[in-house]
Structures are given as structure tokens and as C-alpha cells.
Amino acid sequence: MKCKRQKKVKQCLAFYENLFGFRAPFQVLVDGTFAQAALKYKVQIAEQLPKYFGRDVVCSTTGCVLAELENLGASFYGARLVTKAFRVKECKHGGKAASRGRTRNPIARIAANKCILGLVGKGNPNHFMVATQDPELTNGVNQLAGVPLLYIVQNTVVLGKPADVSMAKGAAVKGGQCAPSSGEREKLDVLKAARGLPPGGATKVARRRKKRGANPLSCLKSKKLKSKGVDGVNIEVKKRKRHRMRISDHVKRELSELKGRPLDGNN
């Protein structure tokens, strides 16, 4: 498994463990569509899920899933054999015989997606993960908070990103964990009253601005220009300075008198 995919799996598992109480071994509910996709892409569910999570996993199914696969006929015979190897959860649809897939009464059975939604619908108390390829069941799970979703993409098992409902409830749970309890609030009010502070929310203290000095970059000396020599070696080039010559006043007068006289070739 690639490092990037493994990092995402760890982040999702940490989210469900810290905010929704999931613990190993993880309980995974497998339906017929997931088992059929696993056969198609040659995915060993019982072997690859523990490697994917890095934890122990217990795969299970329901009697309604087994009954539905039996009614679908020979095309889903392999998927039925795969799901029969898992634990069967009591779904209360037709009694113990229906949960084991042995009942012949079609009225006692319900659709597999409705059966699984019924097990995870009321707050998911047993901390089930749902493994499915059914779009209807996927949409139903995404509307429930705290229910992880597993699906297969080609030959890879993927743990879906937490739904928006789960993210919102997780943020509320996290805020409740960080907030002080009623007893802690009473103690804080007593301590504030002893120091003369008003009770309730935190008071902001005005910070005094410190005096700032000169910009250190403006105090730096100017850098000398460098030019490359013949051999490519950098040579420092100094700036040329202008020197002004000062002429005395009597010299200036003599020069001005010479300018006014006509030039003579004998002189």
C-alpha cells in the first residue's frame, strides 16, 4: 500500500476512534454487492482488510443479505458462499432462522440495504463499518453520522472520506470535549472574583506597543560591484571618485586677464 493512501487511512481511523469511539477489532458489515465485487477483482476480504487497517477486523453479514443472494440465483452463488463464511448478525427480520438465511417465508425478509441501514441507523451503537457497492445504500450511509463506508475500486479496498454529517457531529463532539465542565466554570468564576476580574468570558488585556528601532537593512553598507575577469574570477571594482581642484583667487584673476588680451605670436 502506498504511503499516501496509508496516511489517509490512518487519518480517517483516528477521526472515528477519537470522536466516535471506534476500537479494534473493527466490525465490518458486508453486503452481497461488496462480495460480488471482491470476487470480480480477486480481493480476499478476510485477509486484506486487516492489512489495510493495520488492526484486527471482524467481518459479518445479516440474514437478509444471505436471503437476497439466494433469491438472485446462480449469478450470485459465489458471493453467497463468501458471505456465508462470515458471522451472521441478528437483524430481527423473521427470527433466528431468517438471520441465518434458512427461512422460506418471503414476507419475513426485507431488502439487504434496508436491513443494514436499520442496524446502523440509531447512532450506530455497535460501531459498524459498512462495506458495499450499492449506490442506494451508499447514499443512506452518507446521511448518517459516525458510519464509515468501505468500497472497492478495481482491486483495492478504499475507506471513504467521512461524510459532511460526520464532520459536523465530530466538530460538535470535539468542542464539547475541549469546553470546561460546569464545576470547572464555577472554580474559574471564584478565582476571577478573588482577583477582581468580571465573571464570564475571557477579558482581553491591551498590549503595549514597543518602540521600534531603525530598520537593520537600511544600516548595511553598500555592496561593491563585482565583474568577471578573464578567467571567470570575480574581481571587485571600486567606484571612481570625482576630485575637484580648487583654484586660488589670484590665479583666477590672471586667467581672466589673459582671456581678454589678444593672442600674440611672439609671446
Side-chain angles (χ1 to χ4, degrees):
M1 187 168 55
K2 295 182 179 180
C3 295
K4 188 175 180 180
R5 191 187 308 162
Q6 189 176 11
K7 186 178 179 180
K8 288 183 178 180
V9 172
K10 288 183 179 180
Q11 289 176 350
C12 291
L13 286 179
F15 174 80
Y16 288 111
E17 286 177 347
N18 296 330
L19 301 178
F20 293 97
F22 279 74
R23 295 290 181 271
F26 298 121
Q27 306 289 329
V28 180
L29 278 176
V30 182
D31 73 339
T33 59
F34 189 86
Q36 186 74 0
L39 283 176
K40 179 180 177 181
Y41 295 111
K42 298 180 181 180
V43 175
Q44 300 292 333
I45 300 175
E47 295 179 4
Q48 291 193 14
L49 284 182
K51 294 180 181 178
Y52 181 69
F53 290 124
R55 315 279 182 85
D56 293 334
V57 176
V58 177
C59 296
S60 57
T61 188
T62 66
C64 293
V65 173
L66 294 174
E68 186 177 77
L69 290 173
E70 184 179 1
N71 292 334
L72 289 173
S75 58
F76 284 83
Y77 178 74
R80 186 168 182 270
L81 290 179
V82 172
T83 52
K84 282 183 71 175
F86 301 147
R87 294 183 181 181
V88 180
K89 293 290 181 182
E90 298 291 339
C91 59
K92 299 180 182 180
H93 299 136
K96 293 183 179 179
S99 65
R100 292 169 186 165
R102 298 176 184 174
T103 180
R104 295 293 179 182
N105 185 10
I107 301 174
R109 302 169 185 165
I110 64 173
N113 54 4
K114 294 181 179 179
C115 176
I116 292 176
L117 286 175
L119 289 176
V120 301
K122 297 180 180 179
N124 196 12
N126 295 319
H127 301 102
F128 284 125
M129 296 183 180
V130 178
T132 181
Q133 302 289 114
D134 185 5
E136 185 177 353
L137 181 55
T138 300
N139 293 333
V141 170
N142 286 332
Q143 295 175 4
L144 301 174
V147 184
L149 183 66
L150 288 166
Y151 52 91
I152 294 176
V153 177
Q154 293 183 358
N155 60 345
T156 305
V157 180
V158 179
L159 176 62
K161 184 181 178 181
D164 295 338
V165 182
S166 298
M167 295 294 289
K169 188 173 181 180
V173 172
K174 190 175 181 180
Q177 290 176 353
C178 297
S181 61
S182 58
E184 291 174 345
R185 288 177 182 173
E186 292 177 359
K187 290 180 180 179
L188 287 173
D189 291 340
V190 171
L191 293 173
K192 286 182 178 180
R195 296 190 177 185
L197 297 175
T203 56
K204 293 184 178 180
V205 180
R207 297 179 62 183
R208 296 182 62 183
R209 300 182 103 186
K210 297 180 180 180
K211 292 183 179 180
R212 296 184 178 180
N215 187 0
L217 296 177
S218 64
C219 301
L220 295 176
K221 295 181 180 180
S222 59
K223 296 182 179 179
K224 296 180 180 180
L225 298 177
K226 293 183 178 180
S227 62
K228 291 187 178 181
V230 179
D231 299 332
V233 182
N234 292 333
I235 302 173
E236 292 185 358
V237 179
K238 296 182 179 180
K239 288 184 178 181
R240 186 176 179 183
K241 295 181 180 180
R242 293 182 63 185
H243 296 281
R244 292 184 178 181
M245 296 179 64
R246 291 186 178 182
I247 304 173
S248 57
D249 296 337
H250 70 280
V251 176
K252 288 181 181 179
R253 286 195 297 269
E254 292 292 333
L255 290 174
S256 61
E257 291 176 0
L258 289 174
K259 286 181 180 180
R261 296 176 185 174
L263 295 174
D264 189 359
N266 298 327
N267 295 334

